[in-house]
């Protein structure tokens, strides 16, 4: 991971139905313990006001809207997200080279303080058969590697990937490429709908830059304790937390 990346490695997914329940959780934590992710459901409900509020509270915010459109539209959406002060955002690599380059260029104009731009490769919900139906012949893992290479070539800072893909991507893409991994479950935690999981310690040891963790924290009886336990588990493997 880039030497420039410091601070908490856990990004808590605020997969709540409304701002009130999200803010209820946020009131228990602080920016030294975790970063936060706002996705499509919460953003569609509560929008930029909530994002600005969380940024103003000092949190590094990952806006997970997975933009995928023509280059100009995506570039402008990225610029608007950046104006809100988000720390990280993402686009679908399947939008193609010109879209990826346009997105990266729109952020590059902001200089060193620009948000990180991450590519979504192949959604983990897609299996080989789904790709076949879309005319994409091959194993999902092959496309993940190929799309990560394209993302890097177009100036993106990293990709979202499953912890299982990190072992191959880390040496292939080098230390500065961000690997953001959902599908993390502390030992003994409920899997929910995640299938191919790793523990936080395993994912960090494999080379994950950031862990996206939702339910193991947000649905815990004591969310703060659950978050602190994850931070303790990975502390021995990192200098920052
Ligand atoms: O609750 P859980 O820890 O499974 O939440 C994981 C978060 O990461 C959710 O917000 C989910 O949408 C997101 N995510 C994922 N798998 C991907 C991409 C994103 O689980 N491939």
């Amino acid at each position: 991971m880039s030497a420039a990346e410091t601070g908490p490695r856990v990004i808590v997914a605020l997969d709540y139905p409304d701002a009130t329940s999200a803010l209820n959780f946020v009131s228990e934590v602080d920016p030294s313990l975790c970063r936060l992710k706002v996705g499509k459901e919460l953003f569609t409900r509560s929008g930029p006001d909530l994002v600005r509020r969380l940024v103003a509270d000092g949190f590094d915010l990952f806006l997970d809207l997975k933009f995928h459109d023509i280059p100009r539209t995506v570039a402008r959406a990225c610029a608007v997200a950046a104006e809100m002060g988000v720390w990280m955002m993402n686009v679908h690599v399947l939008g193609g080279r010109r879209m990826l380059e346009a997105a990266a260029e729109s952020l590059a104009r902001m200089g060193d303080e620009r948000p990180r731009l991450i590519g979504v490769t192949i959604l983990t919900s897609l299996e080989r058969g789904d790709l076949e139906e879309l005319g994409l012949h091959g194993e999902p893992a092959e496309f993940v590697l190929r799309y990560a290479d394209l993302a890097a070539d177009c100036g993106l800072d990293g990709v979202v990937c499953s912890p299982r893909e990190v072992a191959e991507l880390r040496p292939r893409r080098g230390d500065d490429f961000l690997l953001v991994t959902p599908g993390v479950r502390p030992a003994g935690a409920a899997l929910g709908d995640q299938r191919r999981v790793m523990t936080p310690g395993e994912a960090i040891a494999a080379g994950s830059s950031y862990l996206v963790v939702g339910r193991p924290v947000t649905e815990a009886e004591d969310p703060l304790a659950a978050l602190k336990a994850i931070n303790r588990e990975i502390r021995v493997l990192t200098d920052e937390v």
Side-chain angles (χ1 to χ4, degrees):
M1 174 160 105
S2 160
E5 302 289 320
T6 56
R9 300 283 200 106
V10 174
I11 304 172
V12 175
L14 294 178
D15 294 330
Y16 291 101
D18 54 56
T20 306
S21 25
L23 289 170
N24 204 19
F25 166 78
V26 172
S27 68
E28 288 195 45
V29 296
D30 71 68
S32 70
L33 293 174
C34 64
R35 304 171 200 256
L36 302 174
K37 177 171 92 69
V38 171
K40 287 193 169 90
E41 180 185 5
L42 189 56
F43 189 79
T44 302
R45 167 102 42 209
S46 303
D49 286 348
L50 176 66
V51 168
R52 287 196 200 94
R53 155 100 192 252
L54 296 171
V55 170
D57 284 349
F59 286 95
D60 277 349
L61 196 120
F62 174 14
L63 188 63
D64 179 18
L65 296 181
K66 300 187 180 70
F67 295 136
H68 187 179
D69 210 312
I70 58 172
R72 180 174 186 271
T73 302
V74 168
R76 292 172 82 113
C78 286
V80 174
E83 279 168 21
M84 289 191 286
V86 309
W87 161 75
M88 179 179 277
M89 66 181 82
N90 56 5
V91 294
H92 272 283
V93 175
L94 271 163
R97 174 177 292 277
R98 279 182 290 120
M99 188 205 80
L100 298 171
E101 288 177 346
E105 277 162 25
S106 79
L107 297 182
R109 287 189 204 113
M110 301 185 62
D112 288 348
E113 292 303 303
R114 71 175 176 81
R116 288 142 184 80
L117 182 63
I118 301 295
V120 176
T121 55
I122 295 288
L123 294 170
T124 46
S125 51
L126 296 177
E127 297 174 332
R128 188 188 170 109
D130 301 304
L131 298 185
E132 284 290 334
E133 201 169 29
L134 291 166
L136 297 169
H137 309 294
E139 288 300 328
E142 293 166 28
F143 286 103
V144 171
L145 297 179
R146 181 182 185 137
Y147 292 177
D149 291 346
L150 178 61
D153 199 46
C154 293
L156 272 64
D157 300 298
V159 291
V160 182
C161 64
S162 118
R164 304 274 164 191
E165 288 147 6
V166 167
E168 204 161 347
L169 277 170
R170 176 56 70 213
R172 183 182 175 105
R173 295 289 0 143
D175 284 347
D176 286 346
F177 198 65
L178 298 179
L179 300 175
V180 179
T181 58
V184 175
R185 288 291 178 270
L191 294 187
D193 53 1
Q194 299 284 8
R195 286 295 169 265
R196 294 163 62 230
V197 301
M198 277 194 188
T199 65
E202 287 169 342
I204 290 290
S208 283
S209 312
Y210 293 106
L211 311 177
V212 176
V213 186
R215 288 160 290 181
V217 169
T218 58
E219 292 185 3
E221 217 164 283
D222 183 344
L224 181 60
L227 176 59
K228 285 183 169 172
I230 294 174
N231 281 338
R232 267 198 307 278
E233 180 181 336
I234 61 179
R235 183 178 292 133
V236 288
L237 301 161
T238 64
D239 300 330
E240 299 99 358
V241 185

